[in-house]
Amino acid sequence: SISGMEPKPPYCALMDSRTAAHALDRIARLLELKGENRFRTRAYAQAARAVLGLDVPDLAPLLASGALATTPGVGPVTLGI
């Protein structure tokens, strides 16, 4: 660290469950239109429903604690989005 400045954790913008679900659903629809693998498309759609069901104002605490990773319907690939 320079002059006592500690490194900061990466910035994570506030994201509510509805916004995240909307993004995941759009990805699913775009993949479907592109003709991608139906299992991949379904995974994004399922993750969108799972995240929407959380109904939280900010997903960052769930992501930081690891709780989002254990949410049924949210896999490692969709978690990375």
Side-chain angles (χ1 to χ4, degrees):
S1 69
I2 301 172
S3 302
M5 293 178 55
E6 296 299 319
K8 294 181 181 179
Y11 175 74
C12 184
L14 181 73
M15 171 111 19
D16 64 277
S17 55
R18 287 185 63 167
T19 303
H22 179 72
L24 290 165
D25 187 61
R26 290 203 50 173
I27 291 169
R29 290 172 189 245
L30 290 171
L31 290 171
E32 185 177 20
L33 288 173
K34 192 177 172 187
E36 289 288 331
N37 180 302
R38 65 183 174 145
F39 296 107
R40 185 172 179 218
T41 302
R42 193 179 308 157
Y44 280 95
Q46 185 176 0
R49 288 189 299 274
V51 168
L52 183 62
L54 295 173
D55 195 27
V56 294
D58 186 12
L59 290 170
L62 295 176
L63 182 62
S65 71
L68 192 56
T70 63
T71 302
V74 178
V77 173
T78 54
L79 184 64
I81 299 297

